[in-house]
Amino acid sequence: MMRIVRIDGLARSVLLGLPARGMPVIAAWCIRRLPPDADLSTIPLLTARASRTNGMDEPPPAAVLLPTGGMGRVQWPAIAGHRDGRDFVIDPVAGMGTLDGGRTTLTGMATVSQVTLVIELRFGQGDVLTMRTRVTNTGEAPFQLDRCMAGTMLAPEEASEVLTFDGGWGREFHPFREPLGSALWIKENRRGRTSHARPPSLVLGAPGFGDQGGAVFGLHLGWSGNHCLAVERLDDGRRLVHAGELFEPGELRVAMGESYESPVAHMVAASSLAAMAQAFHDHVRGDVLRWPGRRRRSRPVTLNTWEGTYFSHDPETLRLQAEAAAKLGIERFVLDDGWFGARNDDTSSLGDWVVDRRKYPDGLLPLARHVTDLGMEFGLWFEPE
């Protein structure tokens, strides 16, 4: 009998089924939090879907967290690896789910591939579900990990349109929509870092979803390197969404006793783009930012000197600019590009973080003190290339 694990947020619930063998089954993402005394005895019936003709007598569940290959599973594998061409069947025996401080931990041991999988899930502020994966090599030889997604989740059943972002410098995060078909949709980043053309985010929703309406599912991977976003249509029409780090061939060999831990995938279901954005904002402010004593502080009103100064820095002019800013109620004064090296244009000195004594014979301290004496914070711009 499949055991049901319940994960509750403030206003939503996720139900997972733990089979005796195999990955956890996604039984339901409830749009409202279930009551404490909800009867979950019939939930396993939700995990059974009609199979196509001439299929297996007992087909494995399709809607699972982090599907793997082998044992009759035919989905796009979210976790894949091998040990020199062998031990590639990752079919864990599910362990007990534990709840610690609101975090659910699922553990499974795959005896054939000799790896242990650990999946951590937690609802945070804004009912954003976070998920991460850890793979530990329990065998005696290194395990070649070819793919390990951080998170997998079912999209809303009406979701058939995907929104991603493209662009370049000066045209950042340009929205791009396209319909989803029956084929695997995938977007990879191989630049070694994120970019305007490959941010690690996507939104799925009903056709025409927008700021004020249309059920949406939003996903963001907390990772600034190579990554993979994938949406797979299952045989029954539902869609699994995956996000994780992208490995180059041979990049990740896990030695005996060592582990790979994925980045965190942040996921939310909402009634509109505006509601999704608010949920992510609440999550970032409440769960992601780590500013002791300042988490709930309003962001200060800021004056940045760039458009008023560019590279023509003059301490006296900047002092007058700061005085005018303070009279307007500005709370933070940021000295932008041009204070360092021999930075008179954008063709030199980036990275030479030494004060330009031609512009600031006495250094930056007199200007900084003048700004703070006016009751503002002093900020300094630099760009770590």
Side-chain angles (χ1 to χ4, degrees):
M1 184 66 178
M2 184 179 296
R3 188 169 69 88
I4 298 299
V5 172
R6 170 176 169 165
I7 306 171
D8 289 322
L10 294 175
R12 298 182 185 276
S13 297
V14 168
L15 301 178
L16 301 176
L18 296 186
R21 181 176 292 274
M23 300 302 289
V25 181
I26 307 169
W29 182 314
C30 306
I31 61 173
R32 293 182 178 86
R33 177 171 174 157
L34 296 174
D37 58 350
D39 182 8
L40 305 181
S41 61
T42 60
I43 295 300
L45 297 176
L46 295 176
T47 65
R49 293 284 176 131
S51 62
R52 293 185 174 183
T53 58
N54 300 322
M56 300 176 65
D57 292 339
E58 295 184 10
V64 299
L65 294 181
L66 304 164
T68 61
M71 305 302 291
R73 288 182 290 265
V74 294
Q75 298 105 302
W76 184 80
I79 300 179
H82 61 93
R83 193 172 280 105
D84 294 328
R86 304 181 65 178
D87 302 344
F88 52 82
V89 175
I90 303 175
D91 193 44
V93 178
M96 299 295 289
T98 61
L99 185 64
D100 180 18
R103 186 182 305 276
T104 299
T105 302
L106 306 175
T107 302
M109 298 181 62
T111 55
V112 174
S113 56
Q114 300 178 66
V115 297
T116 298
L117 303 180
V118 177
I119 307 171
E120 295 181 356
L121 303 103
R122 177 181 177 270
F123 266 116
Q125 296 291 323
D127 275 330
V128 173
L129 181 69
T130 62
M131 182 175 173
R132 75 187 315 163
T133 308
R134 184 167 67 251
V135 177
T136 300
N137 179 12
T138 58
E140 296 183 356
F143 187 80
Q144 178 67 51
L145 194 60
D146 293 328
R147 182 184 298 152
C148 184
M149 295 292 99
T152 296
M153 189 48 63
L154 268 177
E157 295 209 14
E158 63 270 31
S160 60
E161 185 174 274
V162 60
L163 167 66
T164 53
F165 300 92
D166 208 324
W169 188 89
R171 189 173 179 266
E172 294 87 354
F173 297 105
H174 183 72
F176 184 81
R177 292 176 181 249
E178 57 186 311
L180 291 169
S182 61
L184 173 71
W185 181 96
I186 193 165
K187 188 171 185 178
E188 296 179 340
N189 176 60
R190 297 178 180 274
R191 290 167 168 79
R193 59 178 176 83
T194 53
S195 66
H196 303 306
R198 290 292 190 277
S201 307
L202 60 75
V203 182
L204 298 178
F209 64 86
D211 288 338
Q212 302 305 317
V216 295
F217 171 86
L219 182 147
H220 176 80
L221 182 68
W223 182 245
S224 58
N226 289 345
H227 62 263
C228 172
L229 307 174
V231 183
E232 180 185 19
R233 184 180 183 274
L234 304 177
D235 287 346
D236 59 18
R238 296 179 295 172
R239 287 185 168 87
L240 282 180
V241 189
H242 311 276
E245 188 179 357
L246 176 68
F247 306 139
E248 295 292 357
E251 178 179 347
L252 199 68
R253 287 177 64 85
V254 184
M256 179 182 64
E258 293 188 347
S259 301
Y260 164 77
E261 187 167 272
S262 76
V264 178
H266 308 260
M267 301 172 279
V268 66
S271 59
S272 67
L273 282 176
M276 181 198 74
Q278 185 62 60
F280 275 130
H281 290 172
D282 292 343
H283 173 55
V284 168
R285 293 186 180 113
D287 298 325
V288 177
L289 295 181
R290 291 292 181 265
W291 295 343
R294 299 175 60 180
R295 178 178 294 185
R296 295 300 178 187
R297 176 191 178 194
S298 298
R299 297 194 179 200
V301 179
T302 299
L303 183 145
N304 183 291
T305 63
W306 176 244
E307 280 80 7
T309 304
Y310 293 107
F311 299 108
S312 300
H313 285 224
D314 174 67
E316 184 57 33
T317 301
L318 289 165
R319 286 169 61 90
L320 295 174
Q321 193 176 139
E323 291 169 6
K327 291 179 181 179
L328 290 173
I330 300 296
E331 297 167 305
R332 176 184 289 161
F333 185 88
V334 177
L335 187 66
D336 206 293
D337 196 355
W339 58 267
F340 54 90
R343 184 76 162 167
N344 296 320
D345 54 46
D346 61 3
T347 62
S348 72
S349 301
L350 196 60
D352 298 334
W353 309 118
V354 179
V355 177
D356 186 346
R357 292 289 176 171
R358 299 170 304 166
K359 299 176 182 178
Y360 296 95
D362 300 319
L364 298 180
L365 189 58
L367 177 61
R369 282 178 174 167
H370 184 63
V371 168
T372 56
D373 288 345
L374 291 169
M376 297 183 292
E377 295 180 350
F378 179 75
L380 190 64
W381 176 94
F382 76 103
E383 185 173 323
E385 295 290 343

